[in-house]
Amino acid sequence: MTVNLPTVVVIGYNRPKSLGRLLRSLSKAHYPAGNVRLVISLDKSDTLEPLQVARDFDWPYGDKRVIAREQRMGLRQHVLSCGDLTEEYGDIVVLEDDLFVSPHFYEYSVRAAAFYADEPKVAGISLYSQQFNQTANLPFTPIDNGDSHVHFMQLAASWGQIWSRRNWQGFRTWLQEQGTDVSAIEGIPGDIRSWPESSWLKLHNAYIISQDLYFVYPYRSLTTNFGDPGQHFYVASSRFQVAIQQQRIDYRFARLEQSLAVYDAFCELSPASIKRLNGKLAHLDFTVNLYGCKDCRNGLQLTRTTKPGVHSFSLSMKPMELSVLHDVEGEGIALIEAAQVDEASLSAPRTQYDTYRFFYKFPSLPVICFGFLERLQLMLKGAKP
C-alpha cells in the first residue's frame, strides 16, 4: 500500500530570520522514506534575503521547489494561491514563516490526513493546539475526547494546517459563489467579523461556519507561533507560544459524530455534548454562551451570571463547562432566559474583574502598570499611518 505523502508548503514574505528558523525546525523533523516535497513560496518584497535563504536551504528528504512571486500579491492572495497547490500536489501542510514545528509534525500530518480523507464535515486539520479564545481574550481548554488525541472546532486554522484537494475545492467553490462579502452570514464572532477584507482567514471561517464544517485540532501541539513583527503583530509577542510535542506517540483519532469535544467558533462546547453528559438538560434547547461573547436575545442560554435560572451551577471547575457536565450546583453559571440577562453586565468592569480572577492569579501593581504602558505603546503604533 502506497501512502500519499503530503507536500510541505512554506509561506514567506520579508522575514529572512523567521524563514530560516522555520526551515531549520523542518530539517530536524522526522520523515518516512519516500519523496517528501517542500515548496517555499515567497511573496515579492523589497529584500532578496528570504529568497537567498530559501535557495541555500538544503532539503535531503525529497524535491524542493522555490516559488518567487514576481508581483506583490498580499497575504490573502498569496495564501489562496498556495492553497491552489492542492490541485497539483493533493494533501499539503501549510506553514507561515513565523511558525516552528515539532519533530513529529509530519507523522501526525500523514496519519491525520489519511484518517479524515473522506470525512465530509472536516474542512481541514490543524497542527496548532488552540489554547486561547481570541474572541473572549481568555484561555481556552477543551475537555478530553476519550482516548483521542484530537478534538473538533468550528474555527479555521492558520498556524499550521493540512488541506486536502477535497477540502480546498469545497472552499474555492463556495468562495466563487459567495464572493468576499460575508456580512450577511450569521454566527461569525465579532472579532473575526471586524477583520479587514484582505483577510483570507476571515473568508475561511465564514465558509466553515456557514456550511457547518469543522477543523480537527490536536491536544498536543505540533506547531508554535513566535508572533514575529509583521502583518499579524506590531511588536514581537509570545502570546500564542504553546508547548510542542517532543516525543513520538501512537496517534489515535476520533470521528466527529462520536466525539464529545466539539466546539463552535466562539470556543463554546456544543449543546449536544452537554446534553450527553447532563441528562437533566437533555430535553431543553439552549445556546451555550459561557464566555459571554454571543448576542443572545431569545430563548435559553447557558451563561455566566449570578442570577438564578432554570438550573444553576457553580463557576468553579476548569474549564467552565465541567461544572455543568458534572451538575455541580451553585452560583456563577445559569441556564436562563436570555431576556433575563443584562448583556451589558457581561462586559461590566466588575464582571471582567471576576472573570479575570477565575482564569488568572491577580497580578501585582508593577505588572499592571507595565502591561498598561505596553498596551498604550501598541495602540500608538497601530494609530500611525
Side-chain angles (χ1 to χ4, degrees):
M1 177 180 177
T2 302
V3 177
N4 177 44
L5 294 179
T7 296
V8 179
V9 178
V10 170
I11 299 176
Y13 173 40
N14 64 352
R15 299 184 292 196
K17 291 183 179 179
S18 301
L19 178 62
R21 183 182 59 219
L22 170 59
L23 293 178
R24 286 191 295 274
S25 74
L26 286 171
S27 69
K28 297 176 182 178
H30 305 300
Y31 302 95
N35 183 16
V36 179
R37 293 165 299 207
L38 172 67
V39 176
I40 304 173
S41 179
L42 301 174
D43 201 0
K44 183 176 176 58
S45 71
D46 295 330
T47 174
L48 293 176
E49 286 185 74
L51 181 58
Q52 195 62 49
V53 170
R55 287 176 173 169
D56 290 346
F57 178 64
D58 180 47
W59 182 250
Y61 306 104
D63 299 334
K64 187 187 86 171
R65 174 185 175 190
V66 177
I67 303 175
R69 309 291 178 172
E70 295 182 357
Q71 301 293 328
R72 174 82 169 98
M73 303 181 77
L75 185 59
R76 183 176 81 176
Q77 198 54 44
H78 192 191
V79 173
L80 292 178
S81 67
C82 288
D84 291 340
L85 292 172
T86 54
E87 285 298 314
E88 180 178 352
Y89 294 114
D91 297 339
I92 61 174
V93 182
V94 182
L95 302 165
E96 292 190 34
D97 60 6
D98 56 354
L99 301 178
F100 190 95
V101 300
S102 157
H104 305 281
F105 89 97
Y106 198 76
E107 180 183 358
Y108 167 85
S109 300
V110 171
R111 295 185 59 182
F115 189 89
Y116 294 105
D118 300 317
E119 175 55 68
K121 299 291 283 185
V122 168
I125 301 166
S126 176
L127 279 73
Y128 182 81
S129 175
Q130 193 76 19
Q131 298 175 23
F132 194 78
N133 181 338
Q134 289 182 256
T135 300
N137 207 27
L138 290 169
F140 166 71
T141 304
I143 63 171
D144 74 89
N145 203 19
D147 64 352
S148 173
H149 289 108
V150 299
H151 61 95
F152 297 86
M153 300 186 76
Q154 201 158 70
L155 197 64
S158 64
W159 293 336
Q161 65 271 10
I162 305 164
W163 291 325
S164 69
R165 184 180 292 119
R166 177 186 63 80
N167 294 154
W168 196 250
Q169 285 177 342
F171 172 54
R172 273 302 206 179
T173 299
W174 174 87
L175 187 58
Q176 185 175 8
E177 297 171 353
Q178 164 69 34
T180 58
D181 182 4
V182 298
S183 58
I185 295 176
E186 297 181 352
I188 301 176
D191 62 315
I192 296 177
R193 196 178 291 280
S194 68
W195 291 348
E197 295 305 311
S198 59
S199 171
W200 71 270
L201 189 57
K202 178 179 182 177
L203 298 175
H204 209 191
N205 274 296
Y207 163 63
I208 67 171
I209 291 168
S210 66
Q211 302 302 300
D212 193 28
L213 302 175
Y214 290 85
F215 260 68
V216 178
Y217 277 82
Y219 285 99
R220 301 187 191 186
S221 197
L222 285 306
T223 60
T224 190
N225 187 327
F226 271 76
D228 296 325
Q231 292 184 270
H232 298 305
F233 303 101
Y234 293 113
V235 295
S237 171
S238 62
R239 187 180 194 180
F240 302 112
Q241 280 278 7
V242 295
I244 55 174
Q245 182 188 321
Q246 295 301 307
Q247 297 191 44
R248 184 185 181 277
I249 58 175
D250 186 14
Y251 295 108
R252 294 185 295 275
F253 302 102
R255 294 296 177 189
L256 176 62
E257 64 274 11
Q258 299 168 344
S259 295
L260 272 177
V262 179
Y263 291 82
D264 64 18
F266 293 83
C267 297
E268 301 281 9
L269 187 63
S270 75
S273 296
I274 292 175
K275 293 177 184 181
R276 282 174 61 181
L277 290 187
N278 190 334
K280 69 164 58 174
L281 307 182
H283 65 290
L284 299 170
D285 292 324
F286 55 89
T287 298
V288 183
N289 192 26
L290 292 173
Y291 281 104
C293 296
K294 294 179 181 177
D295 183 15
C296 298
R297 303 187 181 185
N298 299 295
L300 289 171
Q301 66 167 314
L302 185 67
T303 192
R304 288 181 289 107
T305 179
T306 56
K307 292 184 177 181
V310 178
H311 297 288
S312 297
F313 308 93
S314 172
L315 180 60
S316 53
M317 299 184 75
K318 295 182 180 180
M320 295 180 285
E321 54 266 34
L322 283 182
S323 290
V324 181
L325 298 180
H326 292 284
D327 199 21
V328 180
E329 296 182 355
E331 186 181 86
I333 298 175
L335 184 65
I336 190 170
E337 285 288 343
Q340 293 181 253
V341 179
D342 180 9
E343 294 295 327
S345 68
L346 293 175
S347 58
R350 177 71 209 188
T351 304
Q352 292 190 37
Y353 173 80
D354 290 342
T355 302
Y356 190 94
R357 288 294 301 270
F358 175 76
F359 281 101
Y360 303 104
K361 177 182 177 182
F362 198 76
S364 65
L365 184 59
V367 171
I368 294 174
C369 293
F370 185 85
F372 173 78
L373 292 174
E374 183 183 56
R375 186 82 174 183
L376 183 62
Q377 180 187 29
L378 289 174
M379 291 173 62
L380 292 174
K381 281 181 174 288
K384 290 181 179 180

